[in-house]
Amino acid sequence: MRAAVQHRYGPPSVLTSSEVGRPLPGRNDVLVQVGAASVHPGDYFVMTGKPYVVRLVFGFRRPRHGIPGRDLAGVVAAVGKDVTALRPGDEVFGWSTAGALAEYACVPADHLVPVPANLSAVDAAAVPTSAMTALQALRDIANVRPGQTVLVTGASGGVGSFAVQIAKAFGAEVTGVCSPRNVDLVRSLGADHVVDYTRTDFTRTEKRYDVILDNVEAQPLAAVRRALTPTGTLIPNSGHGGRWIGPLGRIAKTRLLSGFTRQRLKPFTSVGKRKDLLTLADLLTTGQVTPVIDRTYPLDEAADALRHVAAGHTRGKVVVTI
């Protein structure tokens, strides 16, 4: 089978399109014939091995798994002996531990759910990690309720475009922060207000928000806190940081500060959960959430897809078609 393969950490040029053996599913796995796989900043960090802390998980000297990629959609080709909920021919989407940028991938059965009938494979592949991050941040961390005010920075990006729609589905009054070229897009996602960051600094207005999901973290923490209500919740979520430990230093600082204020400062890491993917499938089926696709690339151009993600100005999601 064809796959995007890397034998060392480095920039996208380390990826090559190669012939490799087709994986065999374990007893609780599903072999998926991949139709599409999305890429996001986390895939870029794993590919480059920076910040270096990622190597503690994915391999110290070289990637433990030579085929990158996590989020996918496709058709079940075979199932392990203990899998009963899925069968060959089922259309599914979900997340793997690695290996999504290939014609076939082995995925734990409990990481997959049926593709909603109104979604293509490209749309479905765009959902798992980014939409689950937005859902867990707004529902589980911030406990967003009807009538609350929610501000989302990076509102046109992968997580941000889902967050705007999910916050609206929860009944919030939503403000999206984005660049001038994305104002119309963010408004079309349901944002009640859109802030063009080249014209307005949201931290210097009189408006205060119950929840801020900061996917960019371009402003100092003290400035962003000024835009919160006295008991509001701030969720930093850029994933960027130093060369060695990435965002961990900033996360530690934020957690320490949270003990001295009534405001809730809550950095977090999303966790893949099948029940949350089912919740997202319901939102997608009813049209309350629609994936935004920036660009698609063929498998042989997976390196270009990751270069585009690394540039940091995607409109929604970047997807590799297989």
Side-chain angles (χ1 to χ4, degrees):
M1 70 172 188
R2 299 294 292 177
V5 178
Q6 66 174 114
H7 299 291
R8 61 185 176 88
Y9 290 116
S13 58
V14 302
L15 287 182
T16 59
S17 182
S18 305
E19 285 287 340
V20 299
R22 183 185 298 185
L24 297 174
R27 60 192 304 162
N28 294 302
D29 293 336
V30 171
L31 180 66
V32 177
Q33 183 176 3
V34 182
S38 66
V39 292
H40 53 82
D43 296 315
Y44 186 82
F45 298 151
V46 173
M47 179 188 67
T48 61
K50 296 179 181 177
Y52 292 121
V53 69
V54 305
R55 302 189 185 200
L56 298 177
V57 177
F58 295 100
F60 186 70
R61 294 184 177 275
R62 63 183 61 85
R64 188 171 293 115
H65 197 295
I67 303 173
R70 172 178 168 90
D71 295 349
L72 54 77
V75 177
V76 174
V79 299
K81 59 183 292 186
D82 290 344
V83 177
T84 58
L86 296 170
R87 60 185 181 181
D90 288 348
E91 295 184 6
V92 293
F93 75 116
W95 74 99
S96 60
T97 53
L101 293 176
E103 290 179 323
Y104 290 87
C106 276
V107 184
D110 61 357
H111 290 192
L112 297 167
V113 301
V115 174
N118 59 332
L119 254 61
S120 67
V122 168
D123 287 338
V127 173
T129 295
S130 294
M132 210 174 304
T133 298
L135 175 68
Q136 292 174 3
L138 296 171
R139 183 196 62 193
D140 303 339
I141 306 300
N143 189 27
V144 170
R145 301 179 299 279
Q148 286 191 311
T149 54
V150 174
L151 180 134
V152 179
T153 70
S156 60
V159 173
S161 59
F162 284 115
V164 168
Q165 298 177 80
I166 291 170
K168 283 299 298 179
F170 289 168
E173 178 184 326
V174 181
T175 298
V177 181
C178 62
S179 66
R181 76 184 185 101
N182 293 320
V183 166
D184 289 341
L185 168 64
V186 173
R187 188 172 289 116
S188 74
L189 296 176
D192 300 285
H193 314 284
V194 183
V195 174
D196 170 0
Y197 68 74
T198 67
R199 293 177 175 270
T200 304
D201 181 347
F202 74 88
T203 69
R204 295 182 178 273
T205 70
E206 297 299 316
K207 180 70 174 177
R208 298 292 178 264
Y209 301 92
D210 297 306
V211 177
I212 296 177
L213 176 57
D214 192 357
N215 297 303
V216 179
E217 296 188 69
Q219 305 281 15
L221 180 61
V224 178
R225 287 181 58 206
R226 288 199 300 267
L228 273 181
T229 60
T231 57
T233 301
L234 167 62
I235 306 173
N237 186 51
S238 77
H240 296 287
R243 180 179 182 183
W244 290 92
I245 62 173
L248 296 183
R250 187 175 61 250
I251 289 172
K253 177 182 177 181
T254 304
R255 291 196 183 281
L256 179 63
L257 181 61
S258 67
F260 298 92
T261 175
R262 294 171 62 206
Q263 294 172 327
R264 300 174 69 239
L265 312 179
K266 304 288 288 186
F268 89 114
T269 301
S270 65
V271 177
K273 296 179 180 179
R274 187 176 186 274
K275 65 178 182 179
D276 287 349
L277 198 57
L278 288 169
T279 296
L280 291 167
D282 289 340
L283 292 170
L284 292 158
T285 298
T286 58
Q288 295 177 83
V289 172
T290 301
V292 176
I293 307 301
D294 182 354
R295 299 183 187 180
T296 62
Y297 294 82
L299 179 60
D300 288 348
E301 297 175 13
D304 291 332
L306 282 157
R307 285 189 188 95
H308 184 54
V309 168
H313 299 289
T314 60
R315 291 163 53 97
K317 297 290 297 180
V318 175
V319 178
V320 175
T321 55
I322 315 298

